[in-house]
Amino acid sequence: DILLLELTGVADPGDVVAIAKGPAFAERIGDIRVITVLDAEYVLDYNSIFASDRQLVKTLRRQIASAGLVIVNKTDLINPNISGKIEKAVRKLNEKAEILYSVRSHIDTAALLAGMRPNEEPPSAASPFRVLSGHPPADGKP
C-alpha cells in the first residue's frame, strides 16, 4: 500500500516524518518520500528574508530542504527567466532533490512513485485502507 499525505502549506514535513519513523509506526511504514509543491508566482517572494512573515520563510525553507522531489507549479504564469532563479533558490537549500516544472500540477505520476517499493514482508492482515476518489480541480478540468 502507498499512503499519500497532503499537508497544509504551513506544515513542516519533518514533523510528520519524525512521527512516521517513531516507535508507533516504524515497523509499519517503509519508504518515506517528501514532495514539495511550490507556487512559481510567489515562491521567491515567500523565500525572501524581507518577507513580513519570518515563520512562513522558515517553513518554506524546511519544506524545500526536506524534499526528495520539488514540483514548481504554475510555470505558465511566470517569465521563463524566473525558473532559473527558482531553481537556484531550491538548490541553495537542497542540492539533491529532483525538480519538476508543471502547469496546473500536471506531471507524470511515475515521478511521484519513483523509487517507492513495497515492504519486504506483507502485513499480516489485509490493509484497512482503501482508495477514495480525489478532489476534482477547482476549475473542473482534469
Side-chain angles (χ1 to χ4, degrees):
D1 292 338
I2 294 176
L3 176 63
L4 296 173
L5 300 175
E6 180 178 4
L7 306 178
T8 68
V10 294
D12 183 348
D15 293 341
V16 177
V17 170
I19 291 169
K21 289 185 175 184
F25 297 105
E27 292 182 20
R28 302 171 99 187
I29 296 178
D31 295 333
I32 297 175
R33 185 169 191 214
V34 175
I35 301 168
T36 297
V37 180
L38 302 177
D39 185 321
E41 283 188 291
Y42 301 108
V43 68
L44 295 177
D45 293 336
Y46 293 162
N47 191 38
S48 169
I49 60 171
F50 302 109
S52 60
D53 188 341
R54 294 192 190 281
Q55 187 61 39
L56 176 63
V57 174
K58 288 178 185 178
T59 300
L60 174 64
R61 290 179 179 180
R62 284 194 302 264
Q63 290 172 343
I64 293 170
S66 65
L69 172 62
V70 174
I71 300 170
V72 181
N73 190 39
K74 299 184 182 179
T75 56
D76 58 322
L77 303 178
I78 62 169
N79 185 313
N81 67 356
I82 298 296
S83 294
K85 291 179 181 181
I86 293 171
E87 183 169 351
K88 186 175 179 181
V90 169
R91 288 292 172 233
K92 186 174 181 181
L93 299 167
N94 187 330
E95 295 177 359
K96 297 180 181 182
E98 179 182 5
I99 301 174
L100 297 178
Y101 297 89
S102 68
V103 174
R104 295 181 183 232
S105 294
H106 287 214
I107 62 164
D108 179 3
T109 54
L112 295 176
L113 303 175
M116 300 296 287
R117 61 190 190 295
N119 287 340
E120 295 297 322
E121 295 182 27
S124 57
S127 173
F129 299 106
R130 58 191 169 93
V131 176
L132 302 175
S133 63
H135 298 289
D139 64 4
K141 297 179 183 177

